[in-house]
Amino acid sequence: MPVQPRRAADAAASPDTVRLDGVGFGYGHGPEVLRDVNLTLPRGSFHFLTGHSGAGKSTLLKLLTLAARPTRGALWLFGEDAGDAPRGTLPTFRRRMGVVFQDFRLLDHMSAFDNVALPLRLAGARPAAYAGNVTEMLEWVGLGDRAQTCPPALSGGEKQRLAIARAVIAGPELIVADEPTGNVDADMAARLLKLFQSLNRLGATVLIASHDEALAARSGAAVLRLDGGRIRGAQA
Amino acid sequence: MIGRLSGRRAPILPREAGGEPWLAAVIAALCFLACLAAAGALAADRAAHGWARSLGAEATVQVRPRVGESGATAAARAAETLAGVTGVDEAEALDREAAEALLRPWLGEAVLPDLPLPYLVVVRLDRDQPASAVSLSRALAEAGVDATVDDHSLWRAEVERSAGLITVLAGAAFLLTAGAAAAAVVYATRAGMAAQAGVISILSLNGASDIRIAGLYQRRYGLLAAGAGAAGALAAMAALSLLRFLGGSDGITPALPVVWSDVLILSSCPALAATVALLAARLTALARLRGHD
């Protein structure tokens, strides 16, 4: 399945959304947090990434969102070498992905509406073009009546849903979510999982990092397990 | 509903960036000083040209009478000769009473009657094509008048050099204030970006380019500087208008004449302040963002 090393030379021709070849990463001069990670996420795939706390899940997601670069090995996104990509090209990669952070990373001075609209606004879309989609998305995640509320006035679960709405509003090719159901009840977790599955059916590649192995099992998706900085295997 | 939601977009950068009112006050004060420096330079330049023009329009001739000839006669003969030279409007021999009147304020009444005074001729030259000191000297020599011509060129050169120096110093003061304003904006941009590192990270991860993020700071500080620059320029305009209004038709500083066109020139200060702030903020933000790679 997805966890299989390949040579970097043929990655450009690959339809894979994500590919890591022998990737290692360490913070500063410290020991490597990720070691010899080989990972391929084919276009349109749906994976859960599990592992105990400190296994390196968040670090791996940092690499995928280009918030950090591999200290060794090759990272390919959308068929392009992203590991050594110049800083000026990063927005091009990031506009093709939607990221849900564990700590939400919402802009507190903006309303829920403006937070969801942010990726579209940064991409240069006009308000008249995206207002309908944003409103619809807010209603879909159950925040239709909270559109003008700023994040500090929202509950943890509402913030989580808002962060997910922002991540998926621009129809990204790759969705990376770090514990996206960590602050919601079981019903909402199931609903959000359905949202990710719907987006996956529409063609998006989805990777969800979660410590909730039961949720991963219920989803029926392939599960990648991080242990000691290495991906140990996958199971569907 | 959609129109209502889309019509009121929050600014992408939060408003609570610290120190903005202080930065505005600093830029306003710097613009005020820069405007005064610029107006001072303009007035000094204008005054110097006026003084140089006046000095250049006159020459003074000191006449030494021949043996047996009185000083007044020699001066009258010199004046008559000089009046006929091309480039001379008028030549007037200065009699002893007139010379004493000029010296009285400095020397007092007591010593004047015993003081040997030079015999002078004041020559008013044509403003457009003034006669040179050489042509005046030649005309006097041909008429057999022993005299020395002073066309004030020494004084004129000193006045022009002093005015040039004042203009250079005022220009340097103007550039220094612009530099200080840029430094203040650089500091504010760095502080603002440090305080909003989380926001910048969110923008970046949501696809904002460095140029777009730098543009947000550039716009913020450019607008702030334009407003502060306008306040500083208005204060300077008010101060200069007051100088011009007080003291009659020549203003309160007739030696450094302020004219209304100077006041209007200062209206470009807000645009200059905004340009300086805009460039400083943009370059600082880009350098800082690229330093994070």
Side-chain angles (χ1 to χ4, degrees), chain A residues 75-130:
Chain A
L75 164 63
W76 298 79
L77 290 174
F78 313 111
E80 293 179 47
D81 183 358
D84 295 321
R87 184 179 169 85
T89 64
L90 300 191
T92 311
F93 287 106
R94 285 171 176 158
R95 284 176 194 164
R96 297 173 73 178
M97 61 175 84
V99 187
V100 182
F101 300 97
Q102 194 171 8
D103 55 356
F104 317 130
R105 300 205 192 174
L106 300 167
L107 293 176
D108 287 348
H109 68 288
M110 282 186 175
S111 67
F113 180 93
D114 283 333
N115 265 286
V116 174
L118 183 66
L120 303 170
R121 192 170 163 184
L122 291 174
R126 300 180 68 81
Y130 61 67

Side-chain angles (χ1 to χ4, degrees), chain A residues 15 64 72 88 172 177 184 194 196 215:
Chain A
L64 296 184
R72 62 186 173 85
V184 295
K194 277 186 181 166
F196 288 124
L215 179 71

Side-chain angles (χ1 to χ4, degrees), chain A residues 193-217:
Chain A
L193 186 57
K194 277 186 181 166
L195 169 64
F196 288 124
Q197 287 169 331
S198 302
L199 292 164
N200 177 240
R201 275 195 294 274
L202 290 171
T205 306
V206 179
L207 177 66
I208 297 175
S210 175
H211 68 279
D212 187 349
E213 301 207 11
L215 179 71

